[in-house]
Amino acid sequence: MAVSTPAQARARFRAGLRTPTAGWCPGHTQANLVVVPRDLAYDMLLFAQRNPKPCPVLDVSDPGATSTPLFPGDLRTDLPAYRVYVDGEAAGDVAEVTEHWRDDLVAFLIGCSFTFEDALVAAGVPVRHVEQDRNVPMYRTDRPCRPAGSLAGPLVVSMRPVPAELVPTAVRVTARYPAVHGAPVHVGDPAALGIADLERSDYGDPVEVRAGELPVFWACGVTPQAAVAASRPPLAITHAPGHMAITDGRDADLHV
Amino acid sequence: MAVSTPAQARARFRAGLRTPTAGWCPGHTQANLVVVPRDLAYDMLLFAQRNPKPCPVLDVSDPGATSTPLFPGDLRTDLPAYRVYVDGEAAGDVAEVTEHWRDDLVAFLIGCSFTFEDALVAAGVPVRHVEQDRNVPMYRTDRPCRPAGSLAGPLVVSMRPVPAELVPTAVRVTARYPAVHGAPVHVGDPAALGIADLERSDYGDPVEVRAGELPVFWACGVTPQAAVAASRPPLAITHAPGHMAITDGRDADLHV
């Protein structure tokens, strides 16, 4: 990695680099981005409060602001890729969203499981999508979130294959990070979550699950995107899945 | 205590019993109540998100609803006492608030430190206000909360005198309960928080700090009441300090 600080990473993305951010800026907190108009902000914040496992809120902007204390960069340009939803339809991934920004937009930064991947590696648990330089695979499940006002949708999960003997370690390590999804929601059986085929991820890239490994599923901050897709607000702006906001926060401040 | 279940306690309060609730229904989660009109609900929820230590949100009602999943009683009658704020002025404590209820009101249940007092006692840490059958003393500090929209105000703290040798135990035990204020915010010096005189509490009753004891201060769920008083919304309804909502939640589900 040619960059080491969050400010350097944000500058690279602002200059046009498009890449998933797993493995970037070890020790610094990565975040999901969801931006909605002010009149939908209460529903979004309440949706997060009612579904804290997939939606741990790390920071919320004031209406129209383009940065927050946690993310002192420019929210319109400093992520590697964005997804714009119009009436719930993803209108394509773009490098920046300056033209879409409005004075009434409120940005939510939501914890991302990339944050605890350093701790997994330090504990000897391999992280396949980082090893293979791919985006993490993510799946819509058949588990409904608790609705909030106009927002409802399914739980989305990320998946990491873990050697069976390391599953307890993976659970123990990630449980210490509740602000970035914490312990897994499920181990072992994709069908129990309504996932028909691990090879067909709904977001990101599938990765190989090898002999002796179990698929382990963590709640994922793409869950608000699924709610936006299901609930069809006129406008929402998010990060492109896996292409996160790299904040100035430190992972060490998040573990309990 | 003649009652043992939350439903029994709520029925007693509904029938008119007015008492602080420290020590009631051991093992069940007690909560602060803040009720505001829907057009102020986003500011209140955001204020809580930005000040999680004093304002850990446990549940939020839908507009006009008189119960929540966590509090299956009647929010208008089943607390031992309420405080009604009109334009930021406390308009007196009342036994029930049915006449003030409106279809646009949203109720927030916020964690209360009474919840961890069982764990303190179990660890050998005495709780003076329970021993003396008084309300816990609470103080407005000179520490500002992070504002949210129209809401701003000081951190409010509760105080428990702890024998000096048990302070580490008190910190360790309560740190395990972040959803009900967690570890203390300060140990030992009231002046450092801008508290001039422990004998003059802003809410509740002063209690004796004996030789060999230190005053220990925890963030308090009365903090939103101080914000309501400072920010003067047209209407807000809260519990009377110390007279909490006794929920069906279990303390065991809150510790980490």
Side-chain angles (χ1 to χ4, degrees):
Chain A
M1 221 64 61
V3 299
S4 57
T5 73
Q8 289 171 327
R10 293 190 298 256
R12 289 282 296 278
F13 303 148
R14 190 164 57 245
L17 178 64
R18 184 180 295 201
T19 176
T21 53
W24 279 64
C25 297
H28 287 92
T29 304
Q30 300 202 17
N32 299 271
L33 177 69
V34 187
V35 182
V36 296
R38 171 64 182 83
D39 62 9
L40 190 63
Y42 178 68
D43 288 353
M44 184 58 76
L45 189 54
L46 187 61
F47 184 81
Q49 193 279 327
R50 289 181 172 174
N51 300 282
K53 193 93 175 165
C55 306
V57 177
L58 300 180
D59 208 357
V60 182
S61 74
D62 290 316
T66 56
S67 65
T68 80
L70 188 68
F71 187 89
D74 190 322
L75 288 164
R76 302 167 298 184
T77 56
D78 290 6
L79 278 66
Y82 297 81
R83 186 162 289 181
V84 179
Y85 289 86
V86 176
D87 297 328
E89 298 288 334
D93 290 358
V94 291
E96 51 100 353
V97 292
T98 306
E99 68 178 305
H100 299 282
W101 209 260
R102 310 187 324 207
D103 283 348
D104 71 334
L105 292 181
V106 176
F108 296 82
L109 293 164
I110 290 173
C112 170
S113 56
F114 289 173
T115 303
F116 59 52
E117 290 179 344
D118 296 334
L120 283 174
V121 170
V125 180
V127 177
R128 180 71 32 79
H129 61 273
V130 175
E131 290 173 354
Q132 298 190 336
D133 202 17
R134 317 184 76 163
N135 200 348
V136 67
M138 294 161 271
Y139 305 87
R140 278 191 290 272
T141 71
D142 61 4
R143 295 195 186 180
C145 290
R146 189 175 158 199
S150 61
L151 289 174
L155 171 70
V156 175
V157 293
S158 63
M159 190 282 286
R160 293 163 185 79
V162 177
E165 70 276 14
L166 290 176
V167 167
T169 300
V171 173
R172 183 175 52 78
V173 167
T174 59
R176 293 169 56 209
Y177 293 88
V180 290
H181 308 305
V185 293
H186 189 82
V187 175
D189 182 9
L193 294 171
I195 301 169
D197 183 356
L198 288 179
E199 289 296 308
R200 302 208 337 241
S201 57
D202 294 300
Y203 311 91
D205 306 316
V207 296
E208 185 187 5
V209 182
R210 297 176 188 158
E213 294 179 339
L214 293 172
V216 180
F217 300 92
W218 280 266
C220 178
V222 169
T223 298
Q225 295 195 36
V228 159
S231 305
R232 306 185 166 277
L235 175 67
I237 297 170
T238 72
H239 68 291
H243 299 66
M244 314 309 294
I246 299 185
T247 78
D248 277 13
R250 290 191 172 271
D251 303 353
D253 294 333
L254 296 180
H255 72 69
V256 294
Chain B
M1 224 60 67
V3 299
S4 57
T5 71
Q8 288 171 329
R10 294 192 297 259
R12 289 282 297 276
F13 303 148
R14 189 163 59 243
L17 178 65
R18 184 181 294 200
T19 177
T21 52
W24 280 63
C25 299
H28 287 93
T29 304
Q30 299 202 19
N32 299 271
L33 177 70
V34 187
V35 183
V36 295
R38 170 65 181 82
D39 61 9
L40 190 63
Y42 177 67
D43 287 354
M44 183 59 73
L45 190 54
L46 187 61
F47 184 82
Q49 194 279 328
R50 288 180 173 175
N51 299 282
K53 193 95 174 162
C55 307
V57 177
L58 301 181
D59 208 359
V60 182
S61 74
D62 290 316
T66 56
S67 66
T68 79
L70 189 67
F71 187 88
D74 189 322
L75 288 163
R76 302 167 298 182
T77 57
D78 290 6
L79 277 68
Y82 297 80
R83 187 162 288 182
V84 178
Y85 289 86
V86 176
D87 295 328
E89 298 289 334
D93 291 357
V94 291
E96 50 100 352
V97 292
T98 307
E99 69 179 306
H100 299 282
W101 210 260
R102 309 186 325 207
D103 283 349
D104 70 334
L105 291 181
V106 176
F108 295 81
L109 292 164
I110 290 173
C112 170
S113 56
F114 289 174
T115 304
F116 60 51
E117 291 180 341
D118 297 334
L120 284 173
V121 171
V125 180
V127 178
R128 180 71 31 82
H129 62 273
V130 175
E131 290 172 355
Q132 298 190 336
D133 202 15
R134 316 184 77 163
N135 200 349
V136 68
M138 295 162 270
Y139 305 87
R140 280 190 289 270
T141 72
D142 62 4
R143 296 196 186 179
C145 290
R146 189 175 158 200
S150 61
L151 290 174
L155 172 70
V156 175
V157 294
S158 62
M159 189 280 287
R160 293 164 185 78
V162 176
E165 71 275 14
L166 290 176
V167 167
T169 301
V171 173
R172 182 175 52 78
V173 167
T174 59
R176 293 168 56 208
Y177 293 88
V180 290
H181 308 305
V185 293
H186 189 80
V187 175
D189 182 8
L193 295 171
I195 300 170
D197 183 357
L198 287 179
E199 290 295 309
R200 299 204 343 239
S201 57
D202 294 301
Y203 311 91
D205 307 316
V207 298
E208 186 188 4
V209 182
R210 298 178 185 154
E213 294 180 338
L214 294 172
V216 180
F217 300 91
W218 279 266
C220 178
V222 170
T223 299
Q225 294 194 36
V228 160
S231 305
R232 303 184 168 278
L235 175 66
I237 297 170
T238 72
H239 68 292
H243 300 66
M244 315 309 293
I246 300 186
T247 77
D248 278 13
R250 291 190 171 273
D251 303 353
D253 294 334
L254 296 179
H255 73 69
V256 295

